[in-house]
Amino acid sequence: MDRRTFLATTAAGLGGGLAGCTGSGEDGTTAPGTTSPPGGGGLPDHAAVDGIQTQPYLGPPPGEAPGTIVAFEDPSCPTCAAFDFRVVPEITSNLVEPGRATFVLRGYPVIYPWGEPASHALEAVYEADAAAVWDLLAHYFDVQREYEGTDPAGVYDMTETFLAEETDLDATAVVDRARAGGVEDAVRTDLDAGKAAGAGRTTPHLFLFSDGEYLTKAAGSISYRVIESTLGV
Amino acid sequence: MVGLPTRGGDWRLLGRTLRLVLAIPGYALFGAVVAALALSLFVFSQNLALVSFALQAPLAPGDRIDILLGLYPFLGTSFEPATGALLVVVALLVGADIALVAYHLREHDLRAAESGGSVVGVVLGVLGAGCAACGSAVLVGVLSLVGAGGLVTALPLEGLEFTLLAVLVLVLSMYWLAEGMRGGEVRGCPVDPP
């Protein structure tokens, strides 16, 4: 099973959770097939979780699981791709699916220039269909080399082609919204949160929370074992 | 004036000197310890907050060890295999190089040109560890100080250049050390290849 299939399957399997991560709180139930341990972890006052209720996530809604992983990622970052390929599947199967932790994705385009329009596209897709954001992210990581050096117009064109071919979304409408700057505030919210939290220019940058407390941050090539041992959930 | 290892004999001199010095158990152990410390420096420098957490937080001993060991290439990180392997190679070269320096210090006079390469190699190793393009290398922090943090994204190998440069500098350093020992003996064996 490749990464995209894995994430898409996971996102579909956690459909309830993803559908409820629009910040509306209308569907904040735990995803089917998962169990949320009693007594959620809660989240402290920390810059990394500012605006977290409007972010894509896997697992129980943010604050309801004992552990929370807030990952600032740039679609153009090779280390994020490696993290997504090697570590996120383990996080999903060992922490997210059993309801031990929530994995929250925050766009943080600070590496290559094409990461910025890609992050806009991710936000626009998230607005339209929360589950599809994982498909698009996996796509960016899968074919990073093809996007290298591409100008924003090219990034949007390639993204539109992918969305039209691989998702049920109205690709043109979604990408037009990103092109027009319709999700600028959402992108800015993530960037501001990452900078305020101290993510600097490093991705992926993980902020780890357990039982309502901020534990530490971890950046770069981080393994699953490090995350699990740090969370202690 | 320092020379470069351009002939086969130069490489044989380097290999023989390394073999003779590292055949002494004390220097071999010293080199291994230095290599482990160098690798620790390379990987811990990427995540000081996490290392601090692992050392200070009230964790189970197993978790503490898991976090620290999990930062090393092949034991836990998501380093690309080539990047992880190069880091290990640089650490081993640092160990061998410092063992040569130690031997040279104890047995001969050491010139700055011969030992300076070791320091440069360690510095480059630290700078090259991690993915500079994604900012997870110390290099980015250093360049950011002069407002040039974004420069590393222009490097074709995404910062791995510094690790490769570290390999080159360390090999040269060891060659210069071996060259400085030419004509001498290690435990009764002539350094010069027969």
Side-chain angles (χ1 to χ4, degrees):
Chain A
M1 182 186 294
D2 66 16
R3 191 173 5 158
R4 190 187 309 166
T5 308
F6 178 89
L7 280 175
T9 306
T10 303
L14 298 176
L18 286 169
C21 62
T22 57
S24 65
E26 292 167 359
D27 183 6
T29 55
T30 302
T34 66
T35 53
S36 182
L43 288 170
D45 183 19
H46 189 280
V49 298
D50 280 352
I52 199 171
Q53 298 304 331
T54 56
Q55 305 303 320
Y57 65 87
L58 297 172
E64 291 192 12
T68 303
I69 303 158
V70 181
F72 287 83
E73 297 193 60
D74 183 330
S76 73
C77 162
T79 306
C80 294
F83 175 76
D84 187 68
F85 182 66
R86 300 195 181 112
V87 182
V88 173
E90 282 194 89
I91 290 174
T92 306
S93 57
N94 296 331
L95 296 176
V96 166
E97 287 176 353
R100 296 163 63 195
T102 301
F103 181 81
V104 182
L105 172 69
R106 305 201 74 157
Y108 197 61
V110 294
I111 307 301
Y112 292 105
W114 73 264
E116 189 165 343
S119 293
H120 279 73
L122 283 167
E123 292 288 356
V125 164
Y126 176 62
E127 271 188 359
D129 177 3
V133 76
W134 305 99
D135 289 333
L136 182 57
L137 183 66
H139 162 71
Y140 286 139
F141 287 149
D142 277 341
V143 295
Q144 277 182 336
R145 293 284 178 196
E146 295 175 22
Y147 278 87
E148 273 181 17
T150 308
D151 63 15
V155 172
Y156 287 130
D157 288 346
M158 291 166 71
T159 301
E160 187 174 339
T161 300
F162 168 79
L163 292 175
E165 291 176 354
E166 303 290 337
T167 72
D168 296 329
L169 293 171
D170 181 345
T172 303
V174 167
V175 173
D176 280 351
R177 177 153 172 76
R179 274 197 189 99
V183 290
E184 180 67 42
D185 287 348
V187 173
R188 178 54 51 195
T189 296
D190 285 345
L191 277 169
D192 289 346
K195 284 174 182 164
R201 296 182 59 86
T202 305
T203 53
H205 220 114
L206 312 180
F207 292 84
L208 304 173
F209 301 84
S210 181
D211 292 328
E213 288 185 15
Y214 168 67
L215 299 175
T216 187
K217 62 179 184 174
S221 300
I222 296 300
S223 70
Y224 169 73
R225 195 170 65 171
V226 167
I227 293 167
E228 185 187 37
S229 298
T230 301
L231 287 177
V233 294
Chain B
M1 178 174 170
V2 292
L4 297 173
T6 52
R7 296 166 302 164
D10 297 333
W11 293 104
R12 283 196 296 278
L13 170 74
L14 171 58
R16 183 172 168 80
T17 307
L18 269 177
R19 204 164 53 246
L20 288 171
V21 171
L22 294 178
I24 304 170
Y27 285 98
L29 178 64
F30 177 65
V33 169
V34 170
L37 288 174
L39 189 58
S40 302
L41 175 66
F42 298 159
V43 297
F44 289 172
S45 62
Q46 312 298 309
N47 266 297
L48 292 177
L50 184 60
V51 171
S52 171
F53 173 82
L55 294 176
Q56 296 177 19
L59 298 169
D63 285 341
R64 207 180 300 278
I65 291 168
D66 270 353
I67 294 171
L68 294 175
L69 285 183
L71 293 174
Y72 287 87
F74 305 114
L75 292 180
T77 58
S78 54
F79 277 123
E80 289 294 333
T83 309
L86 259 178
L87 273 186
V88 172
V89 166
V90 171
L92 290 173
L93 287 175
V94 169
D97 190 33
I98 300 295
L100 276 188
V101 169
Y103 181 86
H104 212 358
L105 268 174
R106 291 182 60 152
E107 308 294 335
H108 307 89
D109 290 332
L110 188 65
R111 294 197 304 269
E114 294 159 353
S115 61
S118 316
V119 178
V120 174
V122 172
V123 170
L124 288 172
V126 170
L127 290 180
C131 169
C134 296
S136 62
V138 176
L139 171 67
V140 178
V142 173
L143 289 178
S144 295
L145 291 177
V146 292
L151 273 184
V152 289
T153 57
L155 298 172
L157 298 179
E158 297 159 357
L160 199 61
E161 289 87 347
F162 285 83
T163 313
L164 293 168
L165 202 56
V167 171
L168 178 67
V169 168
L170 286 164
V171 168
L172 282 177
S173 168
M174 288 192 290
Y175 169 69
W176 292 329
L177 285 162
E179 180 70 20
M181 292 161 72
R182 196 187 281 275
E185 291 182 346
V186 176
R187 289 207 307 177
C189 299
V191 167
D192 292 70

